[in-house]
Amino acid sequence: MKAVTINAYGETPRLSERPDPKVGPDSVLVRTKAVSVNPVDWKVADGKLDAVLNVHFPLILGWDVAGVVERVGPAVTEFRPGDEVIGYNRQDVAEFGSYAELVAAPVRTLARRPASLSWQQAAGLPLAGLTATQALRAAAVSTDDTVLVNAAAGGVGSLAVQIAVARGARVIGTASSRNHDYLRSLGAEPVSYGEGLVDRVRELVPGGVDVALDLVGGAATAASLELVRYPSRVVSIIDPGIAESGGRYVFVRPDASDLTDLGELADAGKLTVNVQQVLPLEETDQAFRMSREGRTRGKIVLVVPSA
Ligand SMILES: NC(=O)c1ccc[n+]([C@@H]2O[C@H](COP(=O)([O-])OP(=O)(O)OC[C@H]3O[C@@H](n4cnc5c(N)ncnc54)[C@H](OP(=O)(O)O)[C@@H]3O)[C@@H](O)[C@H]2O)c1
């Protein structure tokens, strides 16, 4: 099969020929339609997660996948060949990622593809959607809350806004001005980040917010802590050190039940995935360059040309 690989940290990702993956008892073989680019994919390629992942080379990059089940392992009862699935296929051993024509994925990482989303949109849902869900859960967000989402126009932020709005929360989102109409379309009240952020949020919510999601780090972390009543309701997906200030750090986990719930939210018309750019798998390097700029509105998606 064709897959996007690197042979060492720092290499340019290239399309190469690799053996088809073997399928374990609890896994299914997925024929890939689309995969999404997450910043973590190029961070892994740069070696930034070496301390927390057991990486083997050549490494097939990528974790998000959308495709059709081709074969199931002997213990699998949840899926059959022909089922359309999505997954956040992160495993402790990183070797067989999702930027490939075929992906072997444990069922604990998978859910059915939401009928209302295209293949490209569906590919963008798992990692970012699970992160948003698990971060909002860590903050115990409910109807009465006002939630500040930092970096609300990005992959995680766009989904966090929609999930929080669906729960009945009031949502304020930070983005540059070119994304303010986009944030309004998601149901958030936009504010610009940078110097004066705390004052701008206080103009909208004089008493401060109940919950803040820090999807940026640095000044966003400090502003979040300043704007909440209780630091335990600041959740960072960037900075584990937030715990020293009383906040919570979330590192997203594969979760089939959470992923199913996200799909149901999409099919209920309460959540969609904005695909900013679609590129073929062989242009992963270009996709990584775009993602590294940190200006993505929603998701960048790679498609498998033969799919
Ligand atoms: N801990 C975890 O489990 C976990 C999970 C997922 C992601 N992450 C990390 O979380 C971060 C966000 O992920 P993502 O997928 O949402 O990234 P992304 O899609 O690349 O985010 C891009 C967005 O960030 C916004 N942005 C850039 N600088 C900003 C700032 N200073 N303040 C507010 N917004 C800013 C941009 O908006 P403008 O263009 O309007 O500036 C853009 O829309 C990444 O570092 C990623 O690695 C961690």
Side-chain angles (χ1 to χ4, degrees):
M1 68 166 181
K2 290 191 172 53
V4 177
T5 58
I6 55 169
N7 293 303
Y9 290 136
E11 268 192 13
T12 302
R14 286 186 205 295
L15 200 65
S16 59
E17 199 59 41
R18 298 292 303 147
D20 290 358
K22 292 182 176 172
V23 182
D26 298 325
S27 292
V28 307
L29 187 67
V30 178
R31 186 160 290 275
T32 309
K33 293 279 191 186
V35 301
S36 90
V37 174
N38 290 288
V40 73
D41 298 338
W42 49 261
K43 291 180 185 178
V44 170
D46 289 350
K48 289 191 165 65
L49 272 78
D50 191 59
V52 294
L53 291 175
N54 183 0
V55 173
H56 293 251
F57 295 104
L59 168 68
I60 301 175
L61 296 165
W63 284 341
D64 272 341
V65 64
V68 180
V69 173
E70 189 149 300
R71 188 151 54 84
V72 305
V76 173
T77 54
E78 295 89 340
F79 299 104
R80 293 189 305 191
D83 284 348
E84 299 184 349
V85 294
I86 55 173
Y88 164 44
N89 186 26
R90 180 193 30 91
Q91 300 176 31
D92 287 347
V93 175
E95 186 172 6
F96 303 108
S98 62
Y99 291 12
E101 288 178 318
L102 292 167
V103 179
V107 291
R108 67 181 175 82
T109 70
L110 296 173
R112 284 174 197 283
R113 168 196 167 194
S116 59
L117 299 184
S118 69
W119 282 114
Q120 296 165 10
Q121 290 175 309
L125 186 60
L127 191 155
L130 288 169
T131 307
T133 294
Q134 292 168 16
L136 290 166
R137 180 181 298 135
V141 167
S142 72
T143 309
D144 299 328
D145 288 327
T146 299
V147 181
L148 174 67
V149 177
N150 292 279
V156 178
S158 298
L159 293 165
V161 167
Q162 295 175 80
I163 298 164
V165 167
R167 290 197 193 155
R170 177 183 177 190
V171 181
I172 296 163
T174 73
S176 57
S177 56
R178 72 190 178 93
N179 280 323
H180 284 192
D181 282 344
Y182 172 60
L183 293 197
R184 284 188 196 98
S185 77
L186 300 177
E189 297 165 56
V191 289
S192 295
Y193 54 82
E195 189 76 31
L197 170 62
V198 169
D199 293 337
R200 284 191 291 280
V201 173
R202 282 199 196 283
E203 275 171 30
L204 293 173
V205 200
V209 298
D210 300 295
V211 168
L213 298 192
D214 168 26
L215 316 181
V216 184
T221 317
S224 296
L225 285 164
E226 206 175 325
L227 281 162
V228 293
R229 293 180 196 89
Y230 304 103
S232 61
R233 299 196 83 193
V234 176
V235 175
S236 179
I237 64 168
I238 303 293
D239 183 8
I242 190 83
E244 284 156 32
S245 308
R248 292 160 202 258
Y249 173 69
V250 164
F251 190 113
V252 60
R253 301 183 87 166
D255 189 304
S257 169
D258 282 350
L259 194 51
T260 301
D261 290 349
L262 282 162
E264 286 172 2
L265 214 51
D267 284 344
K270 294 181 174 169
L271 177 151
T272 191
V273 177
N274 183 65
V275 177
Q276 181 199 297
Q277 179 82 41
V278 180
L279 291 167
L281 204 54
E282 60 263 37
E283 289 182 32
T284 296
D285 189 33
Q286 166 65 5
F288 278 10
R289 275 199 294 274
M290 292 176 67
S291 176
R292 280 176 204 273
E293 285 169 15
R295 300 272 86 86
T296 310
R297 179 187 290 170
K299 300 295 300 179
I300 299 168
V301 169
L302 300 167
V303 287
V304 179
S306 57

